[in-house]
Structure formats: structure tokens, C-alpha cells
Amino acid sequence: MRTTPTLPMALPARILLLGSGELGKELTIAFQRLGCHVIAADSYPGAPAMQVAHESVVLDMTDGQALSSLLGRVHVDLVVPEVEAIATDELAAVERSGRARVVPNAFAVQATMDRQRIRALADSLSAVRTSAFRFASNVQELREALRHTGLPAFVKPTMSSSGHGQSRITSADQAEEAWERACTQARCHTGRVIVEEEINFDCEITLLTVRSWDPHQGRVVTGFCAPIGHRQEGGDYVESWQPAAVSDAALASARRMAREVTDALAVRGQGPCLGLFGVEFFVAGDEVWFSELSPRPHDTGMVTMASQDQSEFDLHVRAVLGMPVDTALKRPGASAVIMSTGAVEDARYFGVAQALASGAGVRIFGKPVTRADRRLGVALAHGEDVESARSCAFRAADLVTVAPAVASLDA
């Protein structure tokens, strides 16, 4: 059953958040500022968003039966995915039933949570340029894909995020190792990987793209935040800044492609397809290649908590509720990730006061520290220019350390 929501939505709305990480935590707070009731779900208890939500549920969201049971017993207006590892067929079923609206729509979630679908969709659009790619279901197909993409190449799981399971390979002899890494480290193994040509780019950017309701025009309009630059290590972002320095021609190309892909998601799905999308591009001079898309706030977009009056979380919440949005950049900003150096039980954070005294903001996510290189928090800064903001954020993040609780006895 096709649903046509009345916009703006009446408040308070009831929200089911599927995924309760650091992005979900900020989304929950943004929803609550507008009086909404949030039920946060994730695979483990005490996840960051659960710490601030009205209610919480623990379940394996890749288990279709478990997710169907949850969707059947909660009464919500919106289902808001925050992670990739979800049994998305169940979201399509709840959307067809008209019991709740899936954000941005079920088709968009299904397509973007799976690299195979979103890359095939992007490749089918005449205005969108992608790198050479192939999909593979075994090691032999992976080797054959390398003949098309050339070397070096990247091998990635079709369902993952933050670099999990990703490999850069320079020889076909590394195919088996890359296949095993993708299978074992993916958020959810689908039995397939994507093999991508390596692009010799100057920078990577995230273009936060917002589809929102314009009551004056009586239709959905598309807006863009200033481009966000970011640096990765091991496929995971470690710092981001806004605005990224790209040419006017490159920015125009990125905006055109982002609009094309998000419009396609709206046309092929149900409902208005409202919300914020994190669209990633490779940029070399004036040339631009589409890379990936997430139908939700993006980790690199946390910089907007320092650079914009309405952060990416505010924008997503306002857009899905049919409220007015403002994507304007107010000041140059930067974010730098606070990482763990190892697994820690009963973790305590040190140096936060010094980081705050340096002029930066600090967000501690509240995650269990289960492994090295886990993203535990972020330092945020703004400045007169991007470089001063990056310097401040990076220094602040470096001041924060995590250690077992016993360390506090000697602090």
C-alpha cells in the first residue's frame, strides 16, 4: 500500500531507530529536541543511542524473523535505519503494509546498504561516472574481475562500512587473501565482493545531500552542504574538514551526480524519499567519480556539529519530519577521531579537560572498548580557516586517552 504522508508531520512522532551507534545517538538527541519518542535497537545492550533513547531493544537485525517480530509489536510512525546490517526485506514489507514509513524509503535502504545494488544503479544513470568495477562470488571470479579493473584494485564486501573487510591489492596473487578478509570482516557477509579500479585522485569528499519538503513549492527539493574532505587510514576515517577545497566545476559535477542518484532512489521507491544522504566522491582536478552513498548521516559529517548551525543530524531529522532545513556553512570546521589502542574493560577517559581547554569540543560515544582502533569519540573544532580548525581538532583528539579504571588510582 502506497503511503502519502502529511507534511510536516504532527509531533510527537514515534521513531524506531535500527542501529544505535554514535550516529544514532546524535540522531536520537535531535529527534528528542523536537519531542519525538525514540526506540533504539541494536545487537548489544547499552549501545550509545540506547543510553539516551526512551526505550531500547536488543536483537540481531539481520535475522528477518526477529526484525519482523519487532516491527509487528512496536507502533511507530518512522523506521530509521542507522547501520548496514539489516534484513531489509522486512523493511519493504512494513512499508507495503502502510504501518510505518521507512526513511528515506525501503528501496533506498535496500539499494544503498548493498554495494552491488547502489553501484549498479549509479552505473545505469547517464549523468553518473563510476570507476571500473566487477562483482565476484569466489576467488576465481575475483581474479577474472581484476582483468577488467586492472591493478592496483580494491576488494570490498558488498555489505559493510568504515573500511571493514576492505583490501588494496597490487597482484592477483593476493586475491585469495582479499577474499578471506572480505568474508570474515564484513558487517554481514553476502557471498559476494566488489572489485574496484583504483582511481588516482587528489582527494575524497562527502557531499551531504538533503531531500526536504518545500511547502511554498509543494514538492521535494534537494539541497547540499558544503563539501567535506576526509582522510582515511585502513579504510576508516580519522579526520574530516569542511569546506573541502575543490574546483567549482568539480563541485557542480558532484552535485549533479548526487541529485541524479538520490532522485533515482525516490522514483524507484515509495513515498517522498526525505532525509540526508552521505554521497562520497573521488576528485581529481575537475574530474569526479561517484564512490558510495549512505541513506543517513555519515561519519565524516560529524564535522557539521562544529561548522553548521544545523548539523547533519538536525538536517536528517528535520527533513524526514517535513520541517524546514538550513544547509549553510557558518564557519570552517574539522573533526578528529579518538581511537582505542587496545581492548579495555571498565574504560576511563583521561585528558578530556585538557582537550576542552584547547578550544575544541569533545564527544565521547560511550561504546564498550572491545578492540584496538575502535572509534570511541571525536574532537570538534572551528576556526578562521580549515587548517587552523584541523590543527585544533587533531591536537584535542591526541590529548584524550582511554585506560582501565584502575589507572585512575594513579592519575
Side-chain angles (χ1 to χ4, degrees):
M1 178 172 63
R2 185 175 291 273
T3 58
T4 304
T6 300
L7 299 172
M9 292 182 66
L11 300 177
R14 289 179 58 85
I15 314 298
L16 174 61
L17 183 67
L18 296 178
S20 298
E22 60 266 30
L23 303 179
K25 185 175 187 176
E26 295 296 337
L27 275 178
T28 297
I29 293 169
F31 272 118
Q32 289 178 336
R33 287 193 180 115
L34 294 177
C36 296
H37 183 99
V38 180
I39 305 167
D42 212 315
S43 59
Y44 67 97
M50 293 179 178
Q51 299 164 19
V52 294
H54 295 89
E55 302 177 51
S56 64
V57 181
V58 176
L59 80 158
D60 177 0
M61 292 176 292
T62 65
D63 182 332
Q65 186 173 357
L67 183 56
S68 177
S69 176
L70 173 62
L71 292 167
R73 68 176 184 268
V74 297
H75 301 285
V76 296
D77 302 296
L78 299 173
V79 178
V80 181
E82 187 256 3
V83 294
E84 288 77 13
I86 298 174
T88 54
D89 288 347
E90 300 305 324
L91 301 186
V94 77
E95 183 176 82
R96 286 193 301 270
S97 73
R99 289 184 286 118
R101 175 158 60 96
V102 177
V103 172
N105 62 39
F107 175 81
V109 175
Q110 288 176 309
T112 57
M113 297 302 190
D114 184 339
R115 283 192 175 99
Q116 180 169 346
R117 289 190 180 188
I118 189 59
R119 182 56 65 90
L121 173 64
D123 191 52
S124 72
L125 302 172
S126 60
V128 179
R129 182 185 188 185
T130 70
S131 61
F133 67 95
R134 283 290 186 272
F135 296 99
S137 299
N138 52 53
V139 175
Q140 182 56 37
E141 289 184 7
L142 196 162
R143 291 194 179 97
E144 292 170 2
L146 293 173
R147 298 191 186 100
H148 173 74
T149 63
L151 290 165
F154 287 94
V155 178
K156 306 175 183 178
T158 56
M159 186 177 290
S160 191
S161 63
S162 301
H164 291 279
Q166 175 176 308
S167 300
R168 178 182 183 271
I169 62 176
T170 57
S171 166
D173 293 338
Q174 298 169 300
E176 186 168 356
E177 181 181 353
W179 171 262
E180 289 300 321
R181 180 182 177 89
C183 292
T184 58
Q185 297 186 23
R187 295 289 195 191
C188 180
H189 182 47
T190 62
R192 287 173 72 77
V193 301
I194 182 172
V195 185
E196 296 180 334
E197 168 194 17
E198 181 179 72
I199 298 294
N200 186 20
F201 56 83
D202 299 328
C203 64
E204 293 180 87
I205 64 167
T206 302
L207 187 64
L208 298 178
T209 302
V210 187
R211 289 177 55 87
S212 61
W213 179 252
D214 186 330
H216 303 293
Q217 300 184 55
R219 64 182 182 89
V220 176
V221 296
T222 302
F224 305 96
C225 296
I228 296 169
H230 51 93
R231 181 172 62 88
Q232 297 186 10
E233 290 181 2
D236 201 1
Y237 116 95
V238 294
E239 64 167 334
S240 63
W241 55 91
Q242 188 188 30
V246 297
S247 71
D248 290 343
L251 181 56
S253 293
R255 287 177 171 176
R256 183 171 60 253
M257 285 190 263
R259 186 190 300 272
E260 185 87 0
V261 176
T262 52
D263 281 354
L265 293 173
V267 168
R268 302 188 191 193
Q270 292 189 25
C273 199
L274 298 172
L276 177 141
F277 298 79
V279 192
E280 294 182 78
F281 296 95
F282 301 122
V283 180
D286 291 340
E287 294 189 276
V288 180
W289 293 261
F290 170 87
S291 175
E292 296 181 6
L293 182 150
S294 60
R296 53 176 171 77
H298 198 271
D299 49 10
T300 62
M302 284 190 279
V303 63
T304 59
M305 291 189 282
S307 58
Q308 301 185 179
D309 286 350
Q310 290 179 22
S311 73
E312 64 171 347
F313 308 104
D314 300 317
L315 291 170
H316 194 50
V317 165
R318 286 178 175 230
V320 301
L321 295 174
M323 305 290 177
V325 302
D326 178 7
T327 60
L329 178 77
K330 298 300 182 181
R331 58 201 73 85
S335 73
V337 173
I338 299 166
M339 292 278 198
S340 62
T341 56
V344 177
E345 290 188 22
D346 194 16
R348 293 292 185 271
Y349 293 83
F350 300 90
V352 175
Q354 292 91 327
L356 293 171
S358 73
V362 175
R363 302 285 191 277
I364 300 297
F365 302 147
K367 291 180 177 180
V369 186
T370 56
R371 55 179 169 80
D373 299 324
R374 189 166 202 196
R375 191 187 304 156
L376 303 178
V378 66
L380 301 162
H382 58 80
E384 294 184 358
D385 52 45
V386 162
E387 289 309 313
S388 63
R390 287 179 68 182
S391 178
C392 181
F394 196 80
R395 285 197 309 271
D398 198 46
L399 288 169
V400 180
T401 58
V402 62
V406 292
S408 63
L409 298 176
D410 302 321

